Amino acid sequence: MRLIFLGPPGAGKGTQSQMLAGRLGIPQVSTGDILRQAVANKTELGALAKSYMDSGGLVPDEVIVGIVSERIKSVDCSAGYILDGFPRTVRQAEKLDEALRSNGSIIDAVLNIVVDEEQLVSRLSGRRVCSECQRAFHLETNPPRKPDVCDGCGSQLVVRADDESATVRKRLEVYRTQTAPLVSYYERQSLLRNIEGVGEISEISARIDSALSR
Ligand code: AP5
């Protein structure tokens, strides 16, 4: 399976794609996680990406396309993968289509998680992420078993730098103008599955499984 998770910031793409990757036994490829890791490791990519991420803007298409094209050629992606946070512009989607065509593969489905804006803001303001494995928690709706400690790897939970309210507003605007057009892009290719993204995390997972089995 080659899948794409689409949706605004805070829709639950990371939460659901990580869980689905576990169920399907294929890797989750999150461009946000790759970039945050590069920033933390102070690499050349991290230095370039940081200013875009801190301001809530998008890292240039050519940088991201290069990273993803290489990543999906890895051996662990040979049986499939889940793209989380990529593509994010029509240009990125076109480049992904080109790369897939050149190696004879296709995307099987695009899961578009739909959540209203008020809910997104509250999700992002209460989000805590693991400083090591990047797993997301929420202070109220998805709390860790021990305060500030990751259930998965036991590392410390932190607030993501771009979850500050002014940056969240900017990210939502960037989503509306640059990423939302992908909904009709994938609708035209008959790949889009809309997933109602409000409800318990387990309910959303069940909706995703049901959309994939159709
Ligand atoms: P990225 O990391 O991809 O961020 P994003 O798309 O803004 O999405 P988020 O990670 O904020 O939200 P999510 O949908 O994954 O929600 P989550 O599961 O965490 O990108 C960050 C930055 O990197 C970008 O701004 C850009 O600068 C750069 N970048 C990345 N990709 C790029 C690309 N392709 N091109 C250019 N630049 C790129 O859930 C959110 C919260 O809600 C959590 O607290 C969670 O516990 C909680 N939650 C989840 N589900 C539920 C539920 N059902 N009910 C209640 N709470 C829930």
Side-chain angles (χ1 to χ4, degrees), residues 82-96:
I82 303 177
L83 298 177
D84 162 19
F86 179 91
R88 239 183 169 93
T89 63
V90 170
R91 176 101 185 115
Q92 291 180 14
E94 289 168 348
K95 287 286 173 191
L96 174 65

Side-chain angles (χ1 to χ4, degrees), residues 10 13-15 31 36 57 85 88 92 127 137 141 160 171 199:
K13 304 182 296 296
T15 303
T31 44
R36 277 184 290 279
R88 239 183 169 93
Q92 291 180 14
R127 173 163 62 184
F137 295 85
T141 61
R160 235 170 76 172
R171 286 164 61 204

Side-chain angles (χ1 to χ4, degrees), residues 3 19 58 108-109 113 133 163 175 188 192 194-195 209 213:
L3 303 171
M19 292 166 74
L58 295 181
D108 294 292
I113 308 190
C133 72
D163 278 349
Y175 170 79
R188 284 196 296 277
L192 197 80
N194 285 315
I195 309 290
D209 287 346
S213 65

Side-chain angles (χ1 to χ4, degrees), residues 8-15 31-32 35-36 52-53 56-59 64 84-86 88 92 119 123-124 127-128 136-138 141-142 160 162 171 197 199-201 204:
K13 304 182 296 296
T15 303
T31 44
L35 294 171
R36 277 184 290 279
Y52 295 101
M53 296 174 82
L58 295 181
V59 172
I64 285 290
D84 162 19
F86 179 91
R88 239 183 169 93
Q92 291 180 14
Q119 170 97 219
R123 284 188 186 182
L124 293 174
R127 173 163 62 184
R128 297 292 180 271
F137 295 85
H138 190 278
T141 61
N142 182 24
R160 235 170 76 172
D162 57 352
R171 286 164 61 204
E200 294 290 321
I201 290 174
I204 318 295

Side-chain angles (χ1 to χ4, degrees), residues 138-213:
H138 190 278
L139 293 177
E140 284 155 22
T141 61
N142 182 24
R145 285 192 293 270
K146 259 170 81 181
D148 295 326
V149 176
C150 177
D151 290 353
C153 71
S155 302
Q156 205 198 343
L157 301 184
V158 294
V159 176
R160 235 170 76 172
D162 57 352
D163 278 349
E164 187 263 322
S165 69
T167 317
V168 165
R169 276 199 301 280
K170 170 75 179 169
R171 286 164 61 204
L172 289 169
E173 184 198 320
V174 167
Y175 170 79
R176 282 192 294 270
T177 54
Q178 301 194 51
T179 307
L182 287 176
V183 171
S184 43
Y185 180 90
Y186 285 117
E187 219 159 27
R188 284 196 296 277
Q189 297 186 20
S190 304
L191 289 174
L192 197 80
R193 311 265 203 286
N194 285 315
I195 309 290
E196 164 58 54
V198 179
E200 294 290 321
I201 290 174
S202 57
E203 283 173 336
I204 318 295
S205 299
R207 285 174 204 155
I208 288 170
D209 287 346
S210 144
L212 287 176
S213 65

